[in-house]
Amino acid sequence: MVMDRVNKNTARAQLGTVTLNPRDRRPLYQQLAEGIGVQIRNGVLPLGARLPALRELARRHEVALVTASQAYEALASEGLVVSRTGRGTFATYDG
């Protein structure tokens, strides 16, 4: 018997809008990471919530795929998310 380790009950969280300002001196990935981080810390994205896939995040915020990837990497370095290859990116902060 093969067990599927993907949790089918993990709901994809609704990521709120993150406003990016091209005139801001900070890189876009930092602005994106900060906006998502605030939502995780405030409980908008609860512990274990699945975040949008990189391509979806990039498309939704009209940024390059590498920018979305850098944002998730920044969040991971802060301990706010964990990425699992083939499964997705999940919020790990439990305020």
Side-chain angles (χ1 to χ4, degrees):
M1 178 178 193
V2 176
M3 292 187 64
D4 184 7
R5 293 181 176 249
V6 177
N7 184 355
K8 302 290 185 191
N9 296 325
T10 302
R12 192 175 299 256
Q14 273 302 99
L15 179 64
T17 303
V18 176
T19 304
L20 303 177
N21 181 355
R23 293 182 182 220
D24 192 327
R25 297 186 91 146
R26 295 173 299 146
L28 291 175
Y29 82 89
Q30 284 182 348
Q31 295 178 50
L32 186 56
E34 182 179 306
I36 296 170
V38 166
Q39 293 180 43
I40 292 171
R41 287 184 190 97
N42 291 340
V44 174
L45 297 171
L47 176 66
R50 186 173 183 185
L51 278 64
L54 283 174
R55 292 183 195 281
E56 182 182 342
L57 183 69
R59 182 187 51 77
R60 185 184 301 174
H61 290 92
E62 299 179 349
V63 296
L65 189 59
V66 69
T67 302
S69 178
Q70 288 174 321
Y72 277 171
E73 287 175 15
L75 291 166
S77 72
E78 292 180 44
L80 295 176
V81 301
V82 63
S83 294
R84 304 268 195 242
T85 303
R87 293 186 184 173
T89 302
F90 301 88
T92 58
Y93 181 77
D94 189 20

